[in-house]
Amino acid sequence: MESLVELYGWQTGNCIRAAIALTEAGIPFTARPVNLAKGEHQRHLFLTLNPAGKVPVMIDRSNGQPLVISQSNAIMLHAAERSPGRLLPSNDVASRAVALERFFFFVTDVIAPNHAAFYLRHRGMDDAVSALNQRVIQRLAEAERYAAESLFIAGNQFTLADIAAYTIVASVKDSIDWSELPNLAQWFQYLRTMHSIEQGYQAFVLHRHPTLEQLRK
Ligand SMILES: N[C@@H](CCC(=O)N[C@@H](CS)C(=O)NCC(=O)O)C(=O)O
């Protein structure tokens, strides 16, 4: 049976985070690869879903009327709301606030400058790129404290904060001085074996899934 949720995306951090969150929330979804290298995100079919021409986009039909959401963080929060307690602590206001604090730390203080560096690299602004990349590694090192405190980034439960942290740590892992971050290293090794993490990274690897174009043929 077709899943009630579709996730359009590609092999990028934003899409992988959304895929990990849906998987960890136990929400079955069909991954629909949108090949950015081939410009599929700029084609009319995709633009009708998201006029901004960006992935990920989720369509959730589980409540009758299709719900189309196009921000990765909104998709992650939606996954958390659909499965109370799975991605954010549900019965302790303080633990939930800490999980959100750390989720937004990674999203705004680490992932956002990393994206800005990616954009500026294409504009040839090398000095700005290296300043931003340095900043990303510096800020990321603050997570050593979180990993030292508990098994996961925000306590003893896997949360949205771990998903945000994992994808950015994985993407810059070769620039990290791991000898300085032993607890984060241990956390990283543990998370890489988690089913939802593996599935998220596999979701948009081109394999059996038809592409958006093939689906409409
Ligand atoms: N803030 C958005 C950013 C979406 C975004 O920039 N997606 C990138 C891939 S990670 C994209 O679609 N890039 C294609 C383009 O901009 O042409 C989110 O978190 O979903």
Side-chain angles (χ1 to χ4, degrees):
M1 201 180 87
E2 279 286 290
S3 324
L4 293 171
V5 175
E6 289 175 286
L7 185 65
Y8 289 82
W10 193 235
Q11 292 155 47
T12 73
N14 287 331
C15 301
I16 290 168
R17 280 189 287 284
I20 296 172
L22 289 169
T23 307
E24 187 64 29
I27 300 170
F29 68 96
T30 303
R32 304 277 190 220
V34 178
N35 191 328
L36 299 184
K38 288 191 179 163
E40 287 180 0
H41 58 306
Q42 290 302 341
R43 296 194 188 148
H44 178 71
L45 282 172
F46 184 73
L47 294 174
T48 56
L49 269 185
N50 182 10
K54 305 227 181 255
V55 285
V57 175
M58 178 200 68
I59 308 180
D60 184 348
R61 295 187 175 80
S62 55
N63 263 339
Q65 201 57 0
L67 172 69
V68 181
I69 298 292
S70 66
Q71 284 289 332
S72 59
N73 298 306
I75 297 169
M76 293 173 75
L77 286 160
H78 178 70
E81 281 189 16
R82 275 200 50 190
S83 293
R86 292 281 278 271
L87 289 166
L88 287 173
S90 58
N91 49 15
D92 177 31
V93 173
S95 314
R96 189 181 170 87
V98 170
L100 287 170
E101 171 206 57
R102 295 178 188 183
F103 171 58
F104 285 113
F105 163 72
F106 282 102
V107 168
T108 63
D109 295 17
V110 190
I111 295 171
N114 179 256
H115 284 178
F118 180 79
Y119 173 72
L120 294 179
R121 189 175 311 125
H122 291 284
R123 308 276 307 250
M125 300 171 76
D126 294 345
D127 287 351
V129 170
S130 71
L132 278 173
N133 283 339
Q134 246 179 329
R135 180 97 180 129
V136 166
I137 300 297
Q138 260 170 13
R139 295 308 309 274
L140 199 125
E142 290 173 38
E144 171 65 9
R145 178 163 56 88
Y146 301 152
E149 277 171 14
S150 51
L151 185 57
F152 294 105
I153 290 294
N156 287 323
Q157 182 193 336
F158 180 87
T159 66
L160 295 179
D162 292 283
I163 302 176
Y166 184 85
T167 55
I168 186 64
V169 169
S171 78
V172 299
K173 67 180 188 314
D174 296 336
S175 310
I176 295 175
D177 179 359
W178 285 106
S179 65
E180 298 284 322
L181 310 174
N183 291 291
L184 196 68
Q186 208 176 354
W187 162 87
F188 185 64
Q189 291 310 327
Y190 179 68
L191 259 73
R192 73 190 316 167
T193 64
M194 283 183 64
H195 171 78
S196 58
I197 299 268
E198 284 176 19
Q199 291 295 304
Y201 275 84
Q202 287 302 313
F204 299 106
V205 171
L206 276 185
H207 43 54
R208 57 194 181 280
H209 295 296
T211 64
L212 181 62
E213 296 292 301
Q214 288 163 344
L215 274 174
R216 312 290 153 152
K217 269 183 190 158

